[in-house]
Amino acid sequence: MGKVLPELNVILKICFTLQVSVLDFLTQETLKENSSQFPTTPQNQVRDSSTKKLEVKFDSDRTKQLLENALQANEQPLPMTAVAKRLGYPKRVLYRHFPELCRAI
């Protein structure tokens, strides 16, 4: 146990997902829960073994609610690219399903 160190790209992905700095991740014993309004990865990802691609099932109601939250957030507005990345969907998928909300954001 503890004999193999993870690769840097794996550590970076973990830190991005948890929204913590690499330094905090490596030095803190416990991580505080981040109260972000956006999940960083969808909870409904499925790996297709025949194509080795990650397929994401689209949850329309949940995604619409998260987009509305992003629009009403009191913080500085985020570009749609950043919102899409936080939601875990390609920007064009969000524009296809919710064009008015995406333009408003």
Side-chain angles (χ1 to χ4, degrees):
M1 185 168 110
K3 294 184 181 190
V4 178
L5 296 175
E7 294 181 18
L8 180 59
N9 66 337
V10 173
I11 292 173
L12 292 174
K13 286 178 185 178
I14 291 169
C15 291
F16 177 77
T17 301
L18 296 176
Q19 295 183 347
V20 297
S21 72
V22 175
L23 181 63
D24 288 344
F25 179 75
L26 295 174
T27 59
Q28 291 186 6
E29 256 183 62
T30 59
L31 296 173
K32 296 176 184 168
E33 184 176 328
N34 191 342
S35 61
S36 175
Q37 67 186 11
F38 300 109
T40 54
T41 55
Q43 303 298 316
N44 50 2
Q45 293 182 344
V46 180
R47 185 160 301 272
D48 181 359
S49 59
S50 64
T51 61
K52 306 248 189 231
K53 286 187 177 179
L54 186 65
E55 293 182 18
V56 179
K57 294 182 181 179
F58 189 76
D59 184 348
S60 181
D61 294 333
R62 181 173 175 271
T63 303
K64 182 178 181 182
Q65 182 61 48
L66 291 170
L67 287 171
E68 288 171 349
N69 291 349
L71 183 59
Q72 296 172 358
N74 291 332
E75 57 194 54
Q76 182 176 352
L78 293 173
M80 195 55 215
T81 305
V83 173
K85 189 172 187 176
R86 284 188 176 184
L87 294 178
Y89 294 111
K91 184 171 72 170
R92 72 172 185 264
V93 170
L94 297 176
Y95 270 98
R96 186 178 334 130
H97 289 278
F98 308 106
E100 297 83 20
L101 268 173
C102 292
R103 280 192 288 277
I105 291 172

